[in-house]
């Protein structure tokens, strides 16, 4: 079976074709996935990226995406008729009834029926599923990454796991997997944790129109803004989050203070989510997740704020790297 994943962001679009089988004799080239208790094996047959070029408008972008699928199909000698389903990850909330983005920064996709438009351009009635990109990240990690590791460590199968995925990058996105199933919510906006209030008394303004959102304190961009606002008269240019972590490790006082405050906020935030969802584990993605300092003492600090004395969720760094988004999108076609 061939499935296609599309990871559509504000700057790039990635397409990948995956082959899925029930049995394989060559595990070195196949990745184990678990869906509804069934063990399958999957391998990436090939992928390609193009710029989104959203400034050119929706019609040009969707035509470019259609051509991307066609070109990759020819390159891999896979006919379009072999594709059993297409999954799409979008940078925003997706209405599951209309399969259209209802909110998000890449506004050219708002209220657009990607399933209908792709089927017309591809001239095939290929089923298309659409979800939020953070949902795709969480889905991939639970079904094929961190969830597989947790199953081996704990003995708890993926179909019974509760895993929460968080992307700590330019923004803060999240996805929720309960008993191995993606929770999208009634309107497709479940687990938009970046816009939960972290500061209740005022707080920093957010692009969503509300102040005090978690994204303004826990994203990589927030770390950069915090350092620059405090050191604006002493620095020539704004360092990125990775550099600020490096400065903190080198004992630079302001960087140390900012990272210390960041970790405390992150621990409280994860504890709050634990009190709501009681997950087996969190899996972190995005640039901030690559900093080993983030994980030092994090689980212990979280437990100070968790109500249940037996709730001890693990915190994993993502295990699938850059492929998580496009893989998760493709998996939408299987669940």
């Amino acid at each position: 079976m061939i499935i296609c994943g599309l990871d559509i962001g504000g700057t790039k679009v990635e397409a990948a074709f995956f082959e899925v089988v029930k049995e394989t004799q060559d595990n070195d080239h196949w990745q184990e996935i678990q869906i509804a208790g069934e063990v399958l094996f999957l391998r990436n047959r090939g992928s390609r990226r193009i710029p989104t070029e959203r400034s050119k408008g929706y019609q040009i972008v969707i035509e470019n995406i259609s051509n991307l699928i066609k070109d990759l199909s020819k390159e891999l000698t896979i006919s379009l008729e072999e594709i059993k389903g297409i999954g799409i990850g979008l940078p925003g909330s997706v209405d599951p009834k209309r399969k259209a983005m209802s909110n998000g920064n890449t506004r050219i996709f708002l209220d657009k029926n990607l399933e209908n438009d792709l089927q017309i351009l591809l001239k095939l009635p290929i089923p298309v599923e659409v979800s939020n990109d953070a949902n795709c990240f969480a889905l991939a990690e639970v079904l094929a990454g961190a969830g597989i590791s947790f199953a081996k460590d704990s003995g708890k199968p993926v179909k019974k796991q509760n895993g929460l995925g968080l992307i700590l990058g330019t923004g803060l996105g999240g996805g929720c997997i309960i008993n191995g199933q993606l929770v999208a919510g009634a309107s497709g906006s479940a687990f938009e944790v970046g816009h939960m209030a972290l500061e209740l008394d005022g707080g920093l303004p957010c692009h969503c129109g509300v102040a005090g959102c978690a994204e303004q304190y826990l994203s990589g961009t927030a770390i950069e803004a915090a350092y620059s606002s405090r050191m604006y008269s002493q620095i020539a240019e704004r360092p990125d989050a990775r550099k600020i972590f490096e400065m903190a490790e080198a004992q630079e006082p302001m960087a140390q203070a900012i990272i210390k405050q960041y970790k405390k906020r992150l621990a409280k935030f994860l504890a709050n989510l634990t009190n709501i969802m009681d997950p087996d584990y969190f899996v972190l993605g995005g640039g901030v997740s690559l900093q080993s300092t983030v994980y030092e003492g994090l689980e212990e600090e979280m437990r100070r704020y968790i109500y249940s004395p037996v709730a001890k969720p693990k915190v994993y760094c993502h295990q699938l790297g850059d492929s998580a988004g496009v893989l998760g999108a493709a998996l939408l076609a299987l669940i």
Side-chain angles (χ1 to χ4, degrees):
M1 177 191 299
I2 301 294
I3 54 177
C4 174
L6 288 169
D7 185 13
I8 303 178
T11 59
K12 59 88 180 171
V13 177
E14 180 176 9
F17 285 179
F18 296 91
E19 184 177 359
V20 181
V21 298
K22 291 188 176 182
E23 296 181 3
T24 174
Q25 302 298 318
D26 182 11
N27 289 346
D28 289 341
H29 295 87
W30 296 81
Q31 186 166 20
E32 179 183 337
I33 58 175
Q34 293 188 22
I35 297 178
E38 183 179 16
V39 176
L40 301 173
F41 297 90
L42 172 148
R43 66 170 174 169
N44 190 330
R45 291 284 299 272
S47 61
R48 180 186 285 189
R49 293 183 178 186
I50 61 171
T52 304
E53 297 184 302
R54 55 184 175 176
S55 63
K56 294 185 177 181
Y58 173 76
Q59 190 58 39
I60 296 297
V61 171
I62 196 66
E63 289 175 3
N64 288 343
I65 291 172
S66 170
N67 290 332
L68 173 64
I69 295 172
K70 293 175 184 177
D71 292 344
L72 186 58
S73 172
K74 291 178 182 177
E75 179 183 319
L76 300 175
T77 62
I78 296 172
S79 70
L80 293 177
E81 288 77 7
E82 292 180 74
I83 302 173
K84 301 306 180 183
I86 297 174
I88 302 176
L90 286 174
S93 298
V94 175
D95 182 340
K97 295 180 180 178
R98 297 182 297 126
K99 296 184 181 181
M101 198 169 83
S102 57
N103 199 1
N105 286 336
T106 307
R107 305 191 71 79
I108 61 168
F109 294 111
L110 290 180
D111 299 319
K112 302 298 185 183
N113 189 329
L114 273 73
E115 178 179 42
N116 178 72
D117 296 342
L118 270 180
Q119 288 175 342
I120 291 173
L121 290 168
L122 295 174
K123 298 179 180 180
L124 283 172
I126 302 173
V128 178
E129 298 297 331
V130 189
S131 190
N132 172 265
D133 53 2
N135 287 343
C136 294
F137 164 77
L139 188 66
E141 283 291 344
V142 172
L143 299 186
I148 302 296
S149 296
F150 184 78
K152 292 175 179 177
D153 292 342
S154 68
K156 190 172 187 177
V158 168
K159 67 178 180 179
K160 294 186 177 180
Q161 291 177 17
N162 298 333
L164 305 181
L166 296 174
I167 301 177
L168 307 173
T170 304
L172 169 59
C176 178
I177 312 297
I178 300 295
N179 294 329
Q181 297 291 317
L182 174 65
V183 177
S187 65
S189 59
F191 219 63
E192 285 284 0
V193 293
H195 299 286
M196 289 175 60
L198 196 61
E199 296 289 338
L200 298 179
D201 185 17
L204 297 170
C206 181
H207 64 81
C208 73
V210 180
C213 290
E215 183 172 293
Q216 300 306 313
Y217 300 90
L218 295 178
S219 63
T221 307
I223 294 173
E224 297 163 9
Y227 186 85
S228 297
S229 66
R230 288 160 177 76
M231 301 291 288
Y232 69 94
S233 62
Q234 301 176 44
I235 55 176
E237 59 183 41
R238 173 171 166 166
D240 61 22
R242 178 187 57 81
K243 179 64 176 176
I244 296 169
F245 273 98
E246 290 176 357
M247 290 190 293
E249 291 178 6
Q251 311 298 310
E252 196 278 307
M254 184 55 70
Q256 280 186 303
I258 286 169
I259 297 305
K260 181 179 179 179
Q261 183 184 49
Y262 177 87
K263 289 181 62 177
K264 182 170 290 190
R265 279 182 169 143
L266 179 62
K268 287 184 177 181
F269 186 65
L270 297 183
N272 286 342
L273 293 177
T274 300
N275 290 335
I276 298 170
M277 303 300 301
D278 193 19
D280 291 300
Y281 55 87
F282 294 92
V283 55
L284 307 183
V288 175
S289 73
L290 299 175
Q291 306 302 319
S292 59
T293 307
V294 167
Y295 303 91
E296 295 173 0
L298 179 60
E299 292 178 5
E300 292 78 8
E301 180 70 12
M302 286 166 54
R303 289 172 195 148
R304 294 179 55 197
Y305 310 103
I306 294 174
Y307 174 74
S308 171
V310 296
K312 298 178 180 180
K314 297 184 67 65
V315 182
Y316 290 105
C317 180
H318 62 87
Q319 299 186 10
L320 300 176
D322 289 344
S323 66
V326 72
L327 171 57
L331 292 177
L332 294 172
L334 290 180
I335 62 172

